[in-house]
Amino acid sequence: MAIIATKGTLDMAYPPFILASTAAALGYEVQVFFTFYGLQLLRKDLSDVKISPLANPAMPMPIPMPVMVQMLPGMETMATAMMKKKIKDKGVASLEELRDLCLEADVKFIACQMTVDLFEFDKAEFIPNVEYGGASMFMEFAGKTDICLFV
């Protein structure tokens, strides 16, 4: 299974890790290619991963919020805190736990070298079990897989 992770928000961080860890547990060979904002998910510290209520109409909120309210300062922090509490209360694994499960199951994480260079990321900020490569490196694997997902 090949997965391309392009988003670095809390709500979009879960799908690649859940799908990758599940596929690995089912015996699939799995690679996740992290590019553009998805690279945030490879940082050692994931505490800064947030969710935005703005322009996210499918996100269920405890009370309806007009768009103007969603734009106010502090709303992103409040929405993130609410989502993290819900995740914890429902017993859902944290991002760190899911990422560790992937690594324990030999899921290969590839950081897009072009994006690392483009945004001048410091590789020291990323977890140690990451390979760096370009799209062609990932495509070599993805082209032979049964399942390829873009998240």
Side-chain angles (χ1 to χ4, degrees), residues 24-115:
L26 293 172
Y28 286 83
E29 181 182 356
V30 183
Q31 288 188 16
V32 183
F33 185 68
F34 295 86
T35 187
F36 280 82
Y37 309 117
L39 280 172
Q40 301 300 325
L41 306 179
L42 295 178
R43 291 188 183 276
K44 291 175 185 172
D45 181 11
L46 294 178
S47 63
D48 213 24
V49 175
K50 294 185 175 16
I51 189 169
S52 175
L54 188 61
N56 199 350
M59 187 172 109
M61 296 295 280
I63 54 170
M65 272 198 246
V67 172
M68 292 299 287
V69 173
Q70 294 173 19
M71 294 179 1
L72 294 174
M75 291 306 293
E76 183 177 271
T77 301
M78 185 183 84
T80 300
M82 288 170 47
M83 181 64 82
K84 286 184 176 181
K85 181 177 180 342
K86 182 177 279 292
I87 287 167
K88 185 177 180 183
D89 290 350
K90 297 293 183 178
V92 175
S94 70
L95 288 179
E96 293 85 356
E97 291 168 331
L98 284 171
R99 186 173 67 185
D100 288 346
L101 279 173
C102 288
L103 293 171
E104 288 172 20
D106 294 323
V107 171
K108 187 174 181 180
F109 288 167
I110 301 169
C112 177
Q113 184 65 57
M114 183 217 55
T115 305

Side-chain angles (χ1 to χ4, degrees), residues 126-140:
F126 296 130
I127 58 174
N129 299 340
V130 173
E131 290 188 37
Y132 296 85
S136 62
M137 175 186 169
F138 177 70
M139 293 302 291
E140 186 176 325

